[in-house]
Amino acid sequence: MTDAFSSIDLAQELTLALEMADAGDAIAYAYFEKQNFTLSRKADDSEVTQADRETETAIVDFITRLRPTHAIYGEEHGHSGNADSPWKWVIDPIDGTSNFVRGVPVWATLIALVHDVEGPVLGVVSAPALHQRWWAARGLGAFANGREIKVSDVATIAEAQISVTFNAGWEKIGGTANLIALQQRAYRARGYGDFWQHMLVAQGSVDIAIDAIGLAPYDNAAVQAIVEIAGGRHSDRLGIRDYTQNSAISSNGRLHDEVITSLKI
Ligand code: IPD
Ligand code: CA
Ligand code: CA
């Protein structure tokens, strides 16, 4: 492990990340309750609101003030901070914006601390409209609303609960048929979507979560940290552990290789 890694106190960084989540929740949840915000479309046609932008601004300001030597990467405002740092905060201010704008409570602020060699080692997923917050840091455990969590020990697909997000990206690579076949072999299939399905894997409620194709690093970083620290695996659709890839599969670990094999095209 590198010097930069052993010299950081992840407990301190976690305290800070939870404070950032409090600051983010205060802004995002106020907008959600009132359902009163400007809504526009980005270049990729995805929805964005002033709640997304203002939430990220608050978190970035917080990091800039308290961790000026670290790098920052957020969905709405891009890169800032010290690009040479081995430490990068990766932020998705609202994951599930399409839910947020329709009044569906499945949305969360995702905050991760990523090390340039080790990858995501700390994550906070704060979903105030669900009254749920998950967090984890390497060596300190994974938690949901303060209760320690771990993945399930389900050992076969036939006994597994699975959550799948179908989208045009899967269709484009010819993967839809494999997804359908896999969920038909499972004990039960539902689509919980977004960050939620991965957190349900981390807390042992669901055994496999397969996300859409077309993800970005900020969709994956916090989720990967929490799933891994809860004892699970998080990889791209080919089984590679890399939060910057555009696909994401979480599992309890035991089922991971079989899922990856089943999805091979
Ligand atoms: C979306 C969520 C979703 C994934 C989409 C993302 P956003 O993020 O992460 O799970 O399927 O591809 O765009 O735009 O709501 O932050
Ligand atoms: Ca997202
Ligand atoms: Ca987002």
Side-chain angles (χ1 to χ4, degrees), residues 32 47 52 75 92-102 104-108 110 193-195 219:
F32 181 74
E47 294 155 307
D52 297 71
E75 176 173 9
D92 184 343
I94 297 180
D95 184 58
T97 296
S98 300
N99 285 338
F100 185 96
V101 301
R102 300 290 302 272
V104 178
V106 183
W107 56 271
L110 315 186
D194 305 289
F195 68 91
D219 296 317

Coordinates of all heavy atoms in Angstrom, one line a residue, residues 32 47 52 75 92-102 104-108 110 193-195 219:
F32 N -37.0 18.7 -3.4 CA -37.9 17.6 -3.7 C -39.2 17.7 -3.0 O -40.2 17.4 -3.6 CB -37.2 16.3 -3.2 CG -37.9 15.0 -3.4 CD1 -38.0 14.5 -4.7 CD2 -38.6 14.4 -2.4 CE1 -38.8 13.3 -4.9 CE2 -39.3 13.2 -2.6 CZ -39.4 12.7 -3.9
E47 N -31.9 14.7 -17.9 CA -32.5 15.8 -17.2 C -31.5 16.3 -16.1 O -30.8 15.6 -15.5 CB -33.8 15.3 -16.5 CG -34.9 14.9 -17.5 CD -35.9 13.9 -16.9 OE1 -35.4 12.9 -16.4 OE2 -37.1 14.2 -16.9
D52 N -29.8 19.6 -8.6 CA -28.5 18.9 -8.9 C -27.3 19.9 -8.8 O -26.3 19.6 -8.2 CB -28.5 18.3 -10.4 CG -29.6 17.3 -10.6 OD1 -30.8 17.7 -10.7 OD2 -29.3 16.1 -10.8
E75 N -20.5 15.3 -11.3 CA -21.2 15.2 -12.5 C -21.5 16.5 -13.2 O -21.5 16.7 -14.4 CB -22.5 14.4 -12.3 CG -23.4 14.4 -13.5 CD -24.6 13.5 -13.4 OE1 -24.9 13.0 -12.3 OE2 -25.3 13.3 -14.5
D92 N -21.8 12.5 -7.3 CA -23.1 12.6 -8.1 C -24.1 13.2 -7.2 O -24.6 12.6 -6.2 CB -23.5 11.2 -8.5 CG -24.7 11.2 -9.4 OD1 -25.4 12.3 -9.5 OD2 -25.0 10.2 -10.1
P93 N -24.4 14.5 -7.4 CA -25.2 15.2 -6.4 C -26.6 14.7 -6.3 O -27.2 14.6 -5.2 CB -25.3 16.7 -7.0 CG -25.0 16.5 -8.5 CD -24.1 15.3 -8.6
I94 N -27.2 14.2 -7.4 CA -28.5 13.5 -7.4 C -28.4 12.3 -8.3 O -28.4 12.5 -9.6 CB -29.7 14.4 -7.7 CG1 -29.8 15.5 -6.7 CG2 -31.0 13.6 -7.7 CD1 -31.0 16.5 -6.9
D95 N -28.4 11.1 -7.8 CA -28.4 9.9 -8.6 C -29.9 9.5 -8.6 O -30.5 9.3 -7.6 CB -27.6 8.8 -8.1 CG -27.6 7.6 -9.0 OD1 -27.2 7.7 -10.1 OD2 -28.0 6.5 -8.5
G96 N -30.5 9.5 -9.9 CA -31.9 9.2 -10.0 C -32.7 10.5 -10.2 O -33.8 10.7 -9.7
T97 N -32.1 11.4 -11.0 CA -32.8 12.7 -11.3 C -34.1 12.5 -11.9 O -35.1 13.2 -11.6 CB -31.9 13.6 -12.2 OG1 -30.7 13.9 -11.4 CG2 -32.5 14.9 -12.6
S98 N -34.2 11.4 -12.8 CA -35.6 11.2 -13.4 C -36.6 10.8 -12.4 O -37.8 11.2 -12.6 CB -35.4 10.1 -14.5 OG -34.5 10.5 -15.4
N99 N -36.2 10.1 -11.3 CA -37.2 9.9 -10.2 C -37.5 11.2 -9.5 O -38.6 11.5 -9.2 CB -36.5 8.9 -9.2 CG -36.6 7.5 -9.8 OD1 -37.3 7.1 -10.6 ND2 -35.7 6.6 -9.2
F100 N -36.4 11.9 -9.2 CA -36.5 13.2 -8.4 C -37.6 14.1 -9.0 O -38.4 14.6 -8.3 CB -35.2 13.8 -8.4 CG -35.0 15.1 -7.5 CD1 -34.6 15.0 -6.2 CD2 -35.4 16.3 -8.0 CE1 -34.4 16.1 -5.4 CE2 -35.2 17.5 -7.3 CZ -34.8 17.4 -6.0
V101 N -37.5 14.2 -10.3 CA -38.4 15.2 -11.0 C -39.8 14.7 -11.1 O -40.7 15.5 -11.4 CB -37.8 15.6 -12.4 CG1 -36.4 16.2 -12.3 CG2 -37.8 14.5 -13.4
R102 N -40.0 13.4 -10.9 CA -41.4 12.9 -11.0 C -42.0 12.6 -9.6 O -43.0 12.0 -9.4 CB -41.4 11.6 -11.8 CG -41.0 11.7 -13.2 CD -42.0 12.4 -14.1 NE -43.3 11.8 -14.1 CZ -43.7 10.8 -14.9 NH1 -42.8 10.4 -15.8 NH2 -44.9 10.3 -14.9
V104 N -40.7 10.6 -7.3 CA -40.4 9.2 -6.8 C -39.2 9.4 -5.8 O -38.2 10.0 -6.2 CB -40.0 8.3 -8.0 CG1 -39.6 6.9 -7.5 CG2 -41.1 8.2 -9.0
P105 N -39.3 8.8 -4.6 CA -38.3 9.1 -3.6 C -37.0 8.3 -3.8 O -36.1 8.5 -2.9 CB -39.0 8.6 -2.3 CG -40.0 7.6 -2.7 CD -40.5 8.1 -4.1
V106 N -36.8 7.6 -4.9 CA -35.6 6.8 -5.1 C -34.6 7.7 -5.8 O -34.4 7.7 -7.0 CB -35.9 5.5 -5.9 CG1 -34.6 4.7 -6.0 CG2 -36.9 4.7 -5.2
W107 N -33.9 8.5 -5.0 CA -32.8 9.3 -5.5 C -31.8 9.5 -4.3 O -32.2 9.4 -3.1 CB -33.2 10.7 -6.0 CG -34.1 11.5 -5.1 CD1 -35.4 11.5 -4.9 CD2 -33.6 12.4 -4.1 NE1 -35.8 12.3 -3.9 CE2 -34.7 12.9 -3.4 CE3 -32.3 12.9 -3.7 CZ2 -34.6 13.9 -2.4 CZ3 -32.2 13.8 -2.7 CH2 -33.3 14.3 -2.0
A108 N -30.6 9.8 -4.6 CA -29.6 9.9 -3.5 C -28.4 10.8 -4.0 O -28.1 10.9 -5.2 CB -29.1 8.5 -3.2
L110 N -24.5 10.8 -4.0 CA -23.4 9.9 -3.9 C -22.0 10.6 -3.7 O -21.7 11.5 -4.5 CB -23.3 9.0 -5.2 CG -24.6 8.5 -5.8 CD1 -24.3 7.5 -6.9 CD2 -25.4 7.7 -4.7
G193 N -33.5 -0.2 -9.5 CA -32.9 0.9 -10.2 C -31.9 1.7 -9.4 O -31.7 1.7 -8.2
D194 N -31.1 2.5 -10.2 CA -30.2 3.5 -9.8 C -29.3 2.9 -8.6 O -29.0 1.8 -8.6 CB -31.0 4.7 -9.3 CG -31.9 5.3 -10.4 OD1 -31.4 5.8 -11.4 OD2 -33.1 5.1 -10.4
F195 N -28.9 3.8 -7.7 CA -28.1 3.4 -6.6 C -28.7 2.4 -5.7 O -28.1 1.6 -5.0 CB -27.8 4.7 -5.7 CG -29.0 5.1 -5.0 CD1 -29.4 4.7 -3.8 CD2 -29.9 6.0 -5.7 CE1 -30.6 5.1 -3.2 CE2 -31.1 6.3 -5.1 CZ -31.5 5.9 -3.8
D219 N -21.4 7.6 -11.1 CA -22.5 6.7 -10.8 C -22.0 5.5 -10.0 O -22.8 4.8 -9.3 CB -23.1 6.1 -12.1 CG -23.8 7.1 -13.0 OD1 -24.5 8.0 -12.5 OD2 -23.5 7.1 -14.2

